Amino acid sequence: MKAKHWIIGWLIIVVFGLVFIGTWVGKIDPYFHFHNPDTETYFYSLDNERSQNDGITKHFDYDAIITGTSMTENFKTSEMDEIFECHSIKVPYSGGSYKEINDNLEIAVSNNPDLKTVVRCLDMTFFFYDKDWMREDLGEFPDYLYDSNPLNDVRYIWNRDVIWKRAYAMTAANDEKNFKPGITSFDDYARWQDKVTFGVNTVCPDGVDQIEKAQDRHITEEEKSTIYKNIEQNVTQIAKDNPDITFYYFFPPYSIVWWRGLAANGNICKQIEAEEYIIELITECDNIKLFSFNNRQDITTDLNHYKDNIHYGEWINSLILRWMKDGKYQITKGNYKDYIRKESEFYKNYDYMQINGQVDYEDDYYAAALLLNKEYTG
């Protein structure tokens, strides 16, 4: 009998403990799964895109959203708000697929009737992927945070890392001297600008070799079918379903080293053919404004703007916002053929050995100063 009472007593203690912990985690809610942040009491660090973006999208106040892969991580919502006269959030998914990003946009549309403007990049490296493809090399996706099933919320409220590394750490921080509650700004959220260097000595320190002419590959009907399904499901359908929202989509300007890789394996024609087909699909939607900066070769050929073969400095992000608002480099039904022709002629005929002769500026922001001065003063 004593054993029975002992077991029941321990069960009561365990249940009470679990309820207490779950309630405590839910009250602090470091991933904003249940409510918006209590920034009067705690400090919330924005540093886990996949786990925090869903809550940000559902519970924050905004009428504009910036989303996409790491190509969007250096955007500043303060600039977005000023340029577009809006109140924006930034929810990037580093390495995220078209589906992952679109799924979050669907959540934004469903939870925020005030949403009027979307800024999103369309990475050219993902043109040929299946419509349902998700990154499996980034760890397990936290579906339990995104679905509407309350039963699997136990994976959040009784998650060891959430309890100790988030809730406990945030509670303990309140006792520190000079503690100030708040939240990471969206300007700083996911920003990697100050952690890297730029220039040819970083992007390709050993230089590049002469390209052996490869046979040109072209897009197949099967690949066009894959592209159609991907774009329809993850890019254009949301615009068709929400005609009152303006979608600013852009192809991020990858560097000349990325284009050299296509030239080396004979895939430039195939890549540009896919881009042209995608442009034709997207420009059918009146509320999508599509932009590309690939023909700003003064940028794409200067590695002082890049930390690797695709990632550019934050000054490019700043210019992209202004260019899109001003309608510069927009691709339309009337100009896309000319755009494709210029892009194809340049990258197919470029002398890629010129990369080896570039000057690497000692001050990475010198490239920004030159470019911004040119843009604003001529």
Side-chain angles (χ1 to χ4, degrees):
M1 198 66 178
K2 289 184 179 181
K4 181 179 179 181
H5 290 164
W6 185 84
I7 293 173
I8 293 174
W10 269 110
L11 286 175
I12 292 173
I13 293 172
V14 169
V15 170
F16 176 81
L18 290 175
V19 171
F20 174 81
I21 291 172
T23 303
W24 174 55
V25 170
K27 177 181 179 296
I28 299 174
D29 202 8
Y31 292 163
F32 327 115
H33 184 56
F34 302 110
H35 54 76
N36 58 351
D38 179 7
T39 54
E40 298 297 320
T41 306
Y42 305 101
F43 185 86
Y44 292 79
S45 296
L46 297 182
D47 54 13
N48 191 325
E49 295 173 0
R50 281 184 156 189
S51 293
Q52 293 178 311
N53 283 349
D54 177 69
I56 293 171
T57 303
K58 287 176 179 174
H59 298 298
F60 281 43
D61 178 35
Y62 61 95
D63 59 16
I65 187 170
I66 299 172
T67 189
T69 61
S70 54
M71 313 306 292
T72 65
E73 290 180 322
N74 282 337
F75 276 124
K76 297 179 180 179
T77 56
S78 60
E79 293 181 344
M80 175 77 180
D81 294 351
E82 176 186 356
I83 295 169
F84 283 81
E85 298 181 345
C86 63
H87 178 49
S88 62
I89 60 171
K90 181 175 70 175
V91 283
Y93 286 84
S94 181
S97 68
Y98 280 17
K99 174 178 170 54
E100 181 173 350
I101 293 163
N102 187 70
D103 284 351
N104 183 251
L105 280 177
E106 295 281 4
I107 291 171
V109 170
S110 299
N111 287 271
N112 190 346
D114 296 327
L115 181 59
K116 298 301 179 186
T117 306
V118 172
V119 169
R120 173 187 178 183
C121 76
L122 299 174
D123 283 68
M124 297 184 293
T125 53
F126 295 159
F127 279 177
F128 297 94
Y129 283 77
D130 182 82
K131 63 182 178 64
D132 295 320
W133 174 72
M134 295 280 284
R135 290 287 294 270
E136 297 181 352
D137 59 327
L138 299 177
E140 181 184 6
F141 189 83
D143 295 293
Y144 55 89
L145 294 174
Y146 286 74
D147 63 26
S148 57
N149 180 9
L151 297 179
N152 61 19
D153 287 347
V154 298
R155 298 183 62 187
Y156 171 55
I157 61 175
W158 295 326
N159 184 302
R160 180 180 58 186
D161 287 341
V162 174
I163 292 170
W164 290 108
K165 296 181 180 179
R166 297 285 176 170
Y168 174 76
M170 291 169 66
T171 302
N174 288 23
D175 298 327
E176 296 178 1
K177 187 178 180 180
N178 300 323
F179 169 77
K180 291 183 179 180
I183 190 170
T184 304
S185 74
F186 282 116
D187 282 5
D188 292 327
Y189 178 30
R191 180 178 177 267
W192 44 258
Q193 171 72 30
D194 296 333
K195 303 174 184 177
V196 301
T197 57
F198 298 81
V200 64
N201 293 332
T202 297
V203 178
C204 48
D206 297 324
V208 297
D209 298 326
Q210 186 70 44
I211 294 175
E212 295 293 333
K213 181 67 174 177
Q215 183 176 357
D216 289 334
R217 296 185 177 91
H218 297 275
I219 193 170
T220 66
E221 289 302 315
E222 182 179 358
E223 288 170 333
K224 288 185 69 173
S225 176
T226 298
I227 290 171
Y228 176 82
K229 293 174 183 177
N230 189 18
I231 298 301
E232 180 184 45
Q233 172 180 289
N234 299 313
V235 177
T236 59
Q237 191 59 53
I238 191 172
K240 294 175 183 177
D241 293 341
N242 299 277
D244 294 332
I245 299 176
T246 302
F247 294 82
Y248 289 82
Y249 290 152
F250 69 94
F251 299 133
Y254 295 163
S255 82
I256 195 66
V257 176
W258 181 80
W259 287 96
R260 180 193 174 277
L262 294 178
N265 58 30
N267 281 332
I268 279 189
C269 288
K270 178 180 175 179
Q271 181 72 33
I272 294 178
E273 288 165 1
E275 182 183 0
E276 182 174 14
Y277 181 51
I278 289 172
I279 290 171
E280 291 170 350
L281 295 174
I282 291 177
T283 52
E284 289 298 318
C285 298
D286 294 335
N287 58 326
I288 295 179
K289 297 180 182 293
L290 179 64
F291 297 82
S292 177
F293 317 103
N294 291 334
N295 285 342
R296 278 297 302 262
Q297 290 100 2
D298 60 321
I299 293 176
T300 60
T301 59
D302 186 352
L303 297 182
N304 288 291
H305 298 302
Y306 294 88
K307 78 176 184 76
D308 53 34
N309 65 339
I310 61 174
H311 291 91
Y312 39 77
E314 66 180 4
W315 51 89
I316 304 297
N317 294 85
S318 299
L319 285 174
I320 285 174
L321 288 177
R322 297 191 179 276
W323 288 336
M324 291 195 297
K325 180 59 177 177
D326 294 340
K328 298 180 71 172
Y329 312 113
Q330 183 175 355
I331 302 176
T332 66
K333 290 181 181 180
N335 68 15
Y336 83 92
K337 289 288 187 181
D338 186 55
Y339 159 80
I340 288 293
R341 177 185 59 78
K342 291 178 180 178
E343 180 185 54
S344 180
E345 288 179 355
F346 182 84
Y347 292 105
K348 287 173 67 176
N349 299 307
Y350 185 76
D351 177 9
Y352 289 94
M353 292 300 291
Q354 295 181 62
I355 295 171
N356 294 331
Q358 284 197 19
V359 175
D360 192 329
Y361 302 139
E362 183 176 349
D363 182 354
D364 286 330
Y365 279 94
Y366 184 60
L370 292 177
L371 178 61
L372 295 175
N373 182 64
K374 177 181 178 182
E375 286 296 314
Y376 297 130
T377 70

